Amino acid sequence: LVEMNSVVEWIENVQSAIGVVCRGTLFSGDDGWVAVKGISSLLLGLAVPTVIALLSGNKAKYGRYSNVKTTNTNSGTNQKEKKTSSVFQRISFIPGRIAWIVQESPSVVVGWMMLLLHLTSPDCVSSLPNIILTGLFQLHYIHRTFIFPFQLKTKPSPLYIVLMAFVFCLLNGYIQHMWLLKLHAYPSEWLYDPRFILGVLMFFVGMGINIHSDYTLIGLRKSSTDKSYKIPQGGMFEYISGANFFGEIVEWSGFALACWSLPGLTFALFTLSNIGPRAYQHHLWYKEKFEAYPKKRKALIPFVW
């Protein structure tokens, strides 16, 4: 009965959020909380099948698992087939840098839109803890949207992957900014709470690991035309295959702890459900591709898994 009631409540939360969207009252106080709770319920509900699907062997088709193939001009393939394939790829795939900018941008834009259109609460925007927490979220995504993509030497991304990431960033950007800029003003005493202090520390440690690991991977390729893969070394890669994913999980777990909120918890758990299994997939891929891959290196959790 408890499980049934939980499912019923989950459905009701999602339905209520849809009602708020239909009424166009996403940024009002009471309806805003209904929408935040419903969207959080939706994302938490999707986390479970996401983990099951990814750990069952399904892979998101981007990066090293992308279906994009280079065209061999000496293959003798029929010119009509080549043209059809080229048109299909242009429609269904987006250049890597543009894909990153498009899919990550809602996380930045939603917050600035709320500020510029005065859709915020005076108590929230004048609270120092709220300002710091909003700044942490923006810091990550400003780097992710406007700096990181221009360092990439990556393959095109499938359109459907970009659209899914865009929708997630839109929903997540909304619930995080609604909580921090509209719904909940933290008292100044929250700055001295152990949860806030430890959470902010975890955020910066995780962000540092994530950025260092990402740029380590980028540095393995000499140019955008270099399609080869190498064994990453240094930093957390000495212990785990998914060092960049580990850093991001620590980062958003710290954010969730510092916020101590439903939106923060939702983001941390959804991040874990999505990139945790991908770290395991990368680990298996490395072991299969490289005979000399370090045997003591784990997938995601140092010395454990």
Side-chain angles (χ1 to χ4, degrees), residues 282-300:
H282 278 20
H283 184 65
L284 297 180
W285 183 89
Y286 278 123
K287 290 174 67 177
E288 181 179 348
K289 186 173 181 65
F290 299 101
E291 292 184 6
Y293 196 69
K295 297 187 182 302
K296 292 184 178 180
R297 191 177 296 188
K298 301 297 183 181
L300 182 65

Side-chain angles (χ1 to χ4, degrees), residues 20 24-29 31-32 110 113-114 119-120 174 178 182:
V20 172
T25 54
L26 279 165
F27 296 98
S28 69
D31 274 1
V110 171
M113 181 196 72
M114 290 182 65
L119 300 172
T120 59
Y174 168 79
M178 272 298 290
K182 180 76 173 183

Side-chain angles (χ1 to χ4, degrees), residues 70-116:
T70 56
T71 303
N72 184 355
T73 56
N74 298 319
S75 62
T77 306
N78 182 278
Q79 290 298 319
K80 185 176 181 180
E81 290 179 356
K82 285 185 181 179
K83 185 176 180 180
T84 302
S85 176
S86 177
V87 171
F88 175 76
Q89 285 201 3
R90 284 201 297 270
I91 295 173
S92 57
F93 289 88
I94 297 179
R97 289 175 180 173
I98 295 175
W100 271 99
I101 294 170
V102 169
Q103 69 190 30
E104 306 289 315
S105 60
S107 298
V108 177
V109 172
V110 171
W112 285 102
M113 181 196 72
M114 290 182 65
L115 288 168
L116 293 174

Side-chain angles (χ1 to χ4, degrees), residues 125-277:
V125 295
S126 62
S127 164
L128 184 55
N130 287 64
I131 293 172
I132 292 173
L133 293 169
T134 304
L136 296 181
F137 188 83
Q138 285 281 326
L139 176 65
H140 174 93
Y141 277 106
I142 287 174
H143 171 263
R144 208 70 168 169
T145 306
F146 301 114
I147 300 174
F148 179 69
F150 296 97
Q151 313 304 315
L152 290 174
K153 305 160 189 172
T154 187
K155 299 176 182 177
S157 295
L159 177 60
Y160 78 94
I161 293 287
V162 176
L163 290 176
M164 287 194 297
F166 178 89
V167 170
F168 169 75
C169 286
L170 181 63
L171 296 177
N172 187 56
Y174 168 79
I175 63 175
Q176 304 305 329
H177 286 109
M178 272 298 290
W179 178 260
L180 294 171
L181 298 179
K182 180 76 173 183
L183 297 176
H184 184 77
Y186 293 89
S188 57
E189 292 78 16
W190 186 247
L191 291 171
Y192 311 105
D193 190 286
R195 290 166 291 183
F196 180 83
I197 297 171
L198 178 59
V200 171
L201 179 62
M202 287 175 60
F203 178 90
F204 281 112
V205 170
M207 186 177 187
I209 294 172
N210 177 242
I211 292 176
H212 176 268
S213 302
D214 276 338
Y215 284 85
T216 296
L217 292 172
I218 291 172
L220 293 177
R221 288 184 174 177
K222 297 178 181 179
S223 67
S224 58
T225 58
D226 182 3
K227 304 300 181 184
S228 63
Y229 285 93
K230 303 175 183 67
I231 299 175
Q233 306 286 351
M236 288 301 295
F237 281 116
E238 295 298 318
Y239 307 98
I240 50 178
S241 300
N244 51 332
F245 301 129
F246 172 79
E248 192 160 356
I249 290 168
V250 170
E251 182 181 359
W252 294 122
S253 296
F255 182 78
L257 181 61
C259 291
W260 203 252
S261 66
L262 175 61
L265 176 64
T266 298
F267 188 17
L269 292 178
F270 194 87
T271 298
L272 176 62
S273 73
N274 196 293
I275 63 178

